[in-house]
Every structure is written in structure tokens, then in C-alpha cells.
Amino acid sequence: MAQIEVKNFQRPDETREFEHNGKADVVTLGGRQVARGTFEPGWRWSKDIGPIAGTERCETYHLGFCVSGRMRVTMSDGTEKELGAGDAVAIPPGHDAEVLGDEECVLIDFGEIADYAKRG
């Protein structure tokens, strides 16, 4: 019989530090990773995660919920969307992103984040 799993981001299974300006706390539930990303003011994917990923754009699919703050996502074709507290979002691979304003942006990510910001 399947078991109920409960975990808390205050005690994550793993914390992935970004190059600068933030981190992702990760818990594993049902064999999948869920992340709480804390993106500090000044965070931009291309400078904070790009060096870890080794790609020009983020190639991760994100499915998430914005808890606080604001972020702009720019797709490789130039399409831009802004998201903020209370917004649910699906972001396909091939994007850059940046925090807007001077408040950290906190996102819960249920997407394909097994390797997101993971070193080595």
C-alpha cells in the first residue's frame, strides 16, 4: 500500500546554492523533486544558474507557483511574461529569467527540476 509522505522546506533533503543571489531547497516526494527557489534581488538565470548548467538558456521545464516577489521570463524568441505572488506558471525550456525589484522572489517548482542548479 502507498504511504503518505510529508516533508518541510525548513528541513530540505538538499540545498542547491546558486552562483550568487539565491538557492533552491529541494525535497523528494513520490520519487520526484519539488523545489522552493529563493531568488534574491539582482538574480538572473544567465549569471546565477547558467555557469552551473553550462547552457546559454535554461533548458528546464518549470511548473510552479509564485509565493512572493516578481520575476520576468524571456523566451529565446523574445516573448516576455512577468509573474508575481499568487501566479501559477508553466515555463518551457529555452528561457532566461530575472528578479524584478528589490524583493526576493520565492517560487515553488513541481517541474522537471531533478538537475536544476545541481553541481557536478
Side-chain angles (χ1 to χ4, degrees):
M1 174 183 259
Q3 298 292 317
I4 296 172
E5 293 179 76
V6 177
K7 296 203 176 171
N8 191 300
F9 284 115
Q10 297 303 106
R11 295 176 306 283
D13 296 323
E14 178 183 4
T15 297
R16 301 175 188 170
E17 299 286 339
F18 301 158
E19 285 291 298
H20 315 279
N21 303 317
K23 65 180 181 174
D25 292 317
V26 180
V27 296
T28 301
L29 298 163
R32 291 188 51 117
Q33 288 75 38
V34 178
R36 177 183 63 185
T38 303
F39 306 91
E40 298 167 354
W43 178 89
R44 185 176 186 105
W45 186 90
S46 51
K47 77 175 178 64
D48 289 291
I49 308 293
I52 298 168
T55 58
E56 185 177 321
R57 298 229 174 233
C58 181
E59 298 302 332
T60 298
Y61 170 77
H62 302 279
L63 180 64
F65 175 77
C66 184
V67 176
S68 63
R70 297 199 57 75
M71 184 177 284
R72 177 184 304 124
V73 179
T74 305
M75 298 303 299
S76 54
D77 69 359
T79 303
E80 291 184 351
K81 293 283 185 181
E82 291 185 14
L83 58 121
D87 289 338
V89 63
I91 306 169
H95 60 272
D96 197 355
E98 64 185 316
V99 169
L100 300 174
D102 59 2
E103 178 185 356
E104 70 184 16
C105 184
V106 176
L107 289 162
I108 305 299
D109 194 336
F110 299 92
E112 298 167 355
I113 54 95
D115 294 324
Y116 183 77
K118 194 167 192 170
R119 297 176 189 272

